[in-house]
Amino acid sequence: MDQGCGMSEATCRHLFEPFWTTKPAGTGLGLATVYRIVEGHGGMVQADPREGGGTVMTLLLPMMEEGLGENQNSGC
Protein backbone atom coordinates (compact mmCIF):
# COMPACT_ATOMS: atom_id res chain seq x y z
CA MET A 1 0.00 0.00 0.00
CA ASP A 2 1.31 3.45 -0.84
CA GLN A 3 0.93 6.46 1.42
CA GLY A 4 0.39 9.06 -1.32
CA CYS A 5 -2.57 11.37 -1.75
CA GLY A 6 -4.75 8.65 -3.27
CA MET A 7 -6.81 8.99 -6.43
CA SER A 8 -10.27 10.11 -7.38
CA GLU A 9 -13.02 7.86 -8.74
CA ALA A 10 -12.49 9.48 -12.15
CA THR A 11 -8.82 8.46 -12.09
CA CYS A 12 -9.74 4.90 -11.05
CA ARG A 13 -12.07 4.58 -14.04
CA HIS A 14 -9.16 5.23 -16.43
CA LEU A 15 -6.37 3.60 -14.45
CA PHE A 16 -5.68 0.66 -16.77
CA GLU A 17 -6.27 2.44 -20.11
CA PRO A 18 -3.16 2.58 -22.32
CA PHE A 19 -1.66 6.08 -22.73
CA TRP A 20 -3.88 7.63 -20.02
CA THR A 21 -1.80 9.28 -17.30
CA THR A 22 -1.91 11.94 -14.63
CA LYS A 23 1.87 12.40 -14.74
CA PRO A 24 3.34 15.23 -16.87
CA ALA A 25 6.12 12.97 -18.17
CA GLY A 26 4.26 9.66 -17.93
CA THR A 27 3.54 7.30 -20.82
CA GLY A 28 0.41 5.70 -19.38
CA LEU A 29 1.76 2.25 -20.16
CA GLY A 30 2.81 0.93 -16.73
CA LEU A 31 -0.49 -0.18 -15.20
CA ALA A 32 -2.00 -0.92 -18.63
CA THR A 33 0.85 -3.39 -19.22
CA VAL A 34 0.44 -4.95 -15.77
CA TYR A 35 -3.30 -5.31 -16.38
CA ARG A 36 -2.83 -7.05 -19.75
CA ILE A 37 -0.21 -9.47 -18.40
CA VAL A 38 -2.25 -10.43 -15.34
CA GLU A 39 -5.45 -10.72 -17.40
CA GLY A 40 -3.59 -12.90 -19.93
CA HIS A 41 -2.81 -15.32 -17.11
CA GLY A 42 -6.45 -15.51 -16.02
CA GLY A 43 -6.03 -13.08 -13.14
CA MET A 44 -7.39 -9.71 -12.07
CA VAL A 45 -5.99 -6.37 -10.92
CA GLN A 46 -7.96 -4.12 -8.59
CA ALA A 47 -7.32 -0.60 -7.31
CA ASP A 48 -8.95 0.47 -4.05
CA PRO A 49 -8.35 4.12 -3.13
CA ARG A 50 -8.44 4.72 0.62
CA GLU A 51 -10.11 7.64 2.32
CA GLY A 52 -7.44 10.02 3.52
CA GLY A 53 -4.87 8.92 0.96
CA GLY A 54 -3.09 5.93 -0.45
CA THR A 55 -4.35 3.15 -2.68
CA VAL A 56 -4.35 -0.61 -2.25
CA MET A 57 -3.49 -2.48 -5.46
CA THR A 58 -4.50 -6.15 -5.48
CA LEU A 59 -3.26 -8.70 -8.02
CA LEU A 60 -5.06 -12.04 -8.08
CA LEU A 61 -3.61 -14.92 -10.09
CA PRO A 62 -4.91 -18.48 -10.41
CA MET A 63 -2.84 -21.25 -8.86
CA MET A 64 -0.77 -23.33 -11.24
CA GLU A 65 -1.31 -27.08 -11.22
CA GLU A 66 1.60 -29.05 -9.78
CA GLY A 67 4.15 -29.99 -12.43
CA LEU A 68 2.63 -27.71 -15.09
CA GLY A 69 5.58 -25.30 -15.06
CA GLU A 70 8.30 -27.94 -15.20
CA ASN A 71 10.59 -27.79 -18.24
CA GLN A 72 8.93 -24.53 -19.23
CA ASN A 73 12.18 -22.96 -20.43
CA SER A 74 14.01 -26.11 -21.48
CA GLY A 75 12.25 -26.55 -24.82
CA CYS A 76 10.83 -29.97 -23.80
Side-chain angles (χ1 to χ4, degrees), residues 2-65:
D2 72 35
Q3 299 298 319
C5 62
M7 60 183 85
S8 68
E9 287 184 37
T11 298
C12 281
R13 282 194 295 273
H14 299 283
L15 197 57
F16 303 112
E17 292 177 17
F19 307 109
W20 189 90
T21 183
T22 60
K23 309 268 190 252
T27 63
L29 292 175
L31 287 175
T33 301
V34 168
Y35 182 85
R36 298 288 186 248
I37 291 170
V38 172
E39 186 180 58
H41 287 280
M44 325 185 328
V45 181
Q46 295 176 298
D48 185 20
R50 298 297 178 166
E51 198 171 308
T55 300
V56 174
M57 299 293 292
T58 305
L59 283 76
L60 301 172
L61 293 166
M63 290 181 62
M64 184 170 57
E65 292 182 35

Side-chain angles (χ1 to χ4, degrees), residues 64-76:
M64 184 170 57
E65 292 182 35
E66 190 174 329
L68 195 59
E70 291 178 14
N71 299 323
Q72 186 174 2
N73 295 321
S74 67
C76 296

